[in-house]
Amino acid sequence: MSTMKKRIPMFLLALAMMVAMALPTFAAAYRPNAQFDYLLNINGSTGSAYQGRALNLMKTKTMGTDQDFKIGTRSGYPGYYMLVSANVNYAVNRSTNGGRAIIWPIATGYNDSRLYDNDESVIRLYTSRELLTAREPVGDWSTVYFGGSGISVWVRAH
């Protein structure tokens, strides 16, 4: 009987640890606040190379690979990043030409991709403090960039 009493708490502890470890890795799409039919999207053909692809808004209610991001850390790099879930070696970055939000490898752009913190509703760059912003008026293929004016509050949509 005492062996069974020891196994139940150990099982519950193991289950709790599995759930806690799984929570930060849930996939998520992001949409601008109050824009229910538009998701943050990696522009270009699904499956094409990520480097340099611009971000925009796409009118869709279904999350696909190019709308799937997670905010988290990366081993070997300081801070938080908005990572491409399909390949966490890539993160949202700021183009030096006009501030457009693009996808870039963390290995060569971690300082420009690093976020101020792990906030999922106000996505702010660490170095420039610029916010990820959807240009208004919002429509299919609207531009997403860092800085300037527009909608800068994001909602995590599962």
Side-chain angles (χ1 to χ4, degrees):
M1 190 66 147
S2 71
T3 304
M4 186 61 126
K5 285 184 181 180
K6 290 180 185 175
R7 287 185 182 177
I8 291 173
M10 292 305 291
F11 171 75
L12 292 174
L13 179 63
L15 184 63
M17 289 173 58
M18 287 186 337
V19 169
M21 289 175 21
L23 287 178
T25 62
F26 284 135
Y30 290 84
R31 64 173 174 79
N33 190 41
Q35 303 297 319
F36 296 98
D37 292 338
Y38 296 93
L39 296 178
L40 183 64
N41 176 69
I42 304 171
N43 196 14
S45 301
T46 300
S48 63
Y50 285 116
Q51 184 168 324
R53 288 172 61 185
L55 273 71
N56 59 14
L57 296 179
M58 181 178 185
K59 187 169 186 164
T60 182
K61 293 181 182 182
T62 307
M63 181 181 70
T65 304
D66 285 346
Q67 295 84 39
D68 189 0
F69 299 91
K70 63 182 179 179
I71 294 178
T73 59
R74 249 332 239 126
S75 180
Y77 300 98
Y80 296 96
Y81 302 89
M82 185 173 210
L83 302 165
V84 176
S85 293
N87 188 339
V88 294
N89 293 312
Y90 291 88
V92 176
N93 193 303
R94 182 191 188 282
S95 172
T96 55
N97 184 16
R100 187 88 193 254
I102 61 171
I103 301 299
W104 203 258
I106 291 180
T108 59
Y110 75 91
N111 200 42
D112 293 331
S113 296
R114 185 176 172 189
L115 301 178
Y116 182 73
D117 56 24
N118 62 342
D119 191 335
E120 293 188 324
S121 61
V122 179
I123 300 164
R124 181 186 309 269
L125 291 176
Y126 181 79
T127 54
S128 69
R129 303 295 199 261
E130 293 173 305
L131 300 174
L132 184 65
T133 306
R135 183 165 286 151
E136 294 181 288
V138 168
D140 214 10
W141 310 114
S142 288
T143 304
V144 177
Y145 59 98
F146 284 99
S149 62
I151 302 172
S152 57
V153 176
W154 296 86
V155 177
R156 186 174 181 200
H158 300 280

